[in-house]
Amino acid sequence: MVTQEAADLSGCLEEAHSLGESSISSQEVHNSSNMKKSEVPGVVAKADIKPKSMHRAKTWSDDVENLYRFQQAGYRDEVEYKQVKQVDVVECWPETGFIKKLQRRDNTFFYYNKHRECEDKDVHKVKVYVY
């Protein structure tokens, strides 16, 4: 959420600057947004993690189910979701441990059931990343 606020502030300042009403530079806006990002512990430190390899899932498991849900929402996996959305915890169903809710990049939400959603015919589409 911090990133979105900084982007909105940057857009407002650029509009004001084009009208000649502001003395704040865009560099100061970027500096203030960097300070806000560093206040979130552990999230910025993980920002440079990239997968080393990828393979496709062969059989269904709990991990494949959660990867399927992340990939439906437009993310590689939990690592990328936490990097992009700057969150520490992903909401899960306590009964099954499956992902309950994910926020897409366009800020709409995907809500998932407690039970399996990745059918056998979709298992081979799931990408499993190795770090």
Side-chain angles (χ1 to χ4, degrees):
M1 293 299 170
V2 175
T3 308
Q4 183 180 1
E5 292 173 6
D8 291 341
L9 180 61
S10 175
C12 293
L13 289 175
E14 286 174 14
E15 289 175 19
H17 184 65
S18 66
L19 297 173
E21 298 174 356
S22 175
S23 63
I24 299 175
S25 70
S26 61
Q27 183 64 31
E28 290 172 331
V29 172
H30 294 298
N31 289 342
S32 67
S33 66
N34 288 341
M35 289 189 303
K36 289 180 183 178
K37 287 181 186 176
S38 64
E39 291 173 3
V40 181
V43 174
V44 176
K46 298 178 184 176
D48 60 345
I49 296 177
K50 301 275 188 209
K52 293 180 182 175
S53 64
M54 182 275 297
H55 64 276
R56 301 277 181 169
K58 304 282 187 225
T59 58
W60 184 90
S61 68
D62 291 349
D63 292 332
V64 170
E65 178 68 32
N66 282 333
L67 286 172
Y68 175 77
R69 294 173 186 218
F70 280 114
Q71 290 169 17
Q72 262 195 328
Y75 301 96
R76 272 192 320 253
D77 52 17
E78 185 175 1
V79 173
E80 184 183 33
Y81 181 77
K82 288 180 176 182
Q83 288 174 3
V84 172
K85 289 300 173 185
Q86 307 252 328
V87 296
D88 290 331
V89 179
V90 180
E91 273 190 64
C92 296
W93 289 104
E95 299 89 0
T96 59
F98 297 149
I99 303 298
K100 183 176 186 178
K101 174 178 79 171
L102 292 174
Q103 187 175 11
R104 293 180 5 175
R105 293 175 193 260
D106 63 357
N107 292 328
T108 58
F109 286 88
F110 272 10
Y111 294 91
Y112 299 99
N113 295 324
K114 294 179 189 177
H115 306 289
R116 177 180 175 176
E117 291 194 10
C118 180
E119 297 180 19
D120 286 332
K121 66 178 184 176
D122 295 326
V123 169
H124 74 281
K125 297 177 184 176
V126 177
K127 297 177 181 178
V128 180
Y129 292 91
V130 179
Y131 291 90

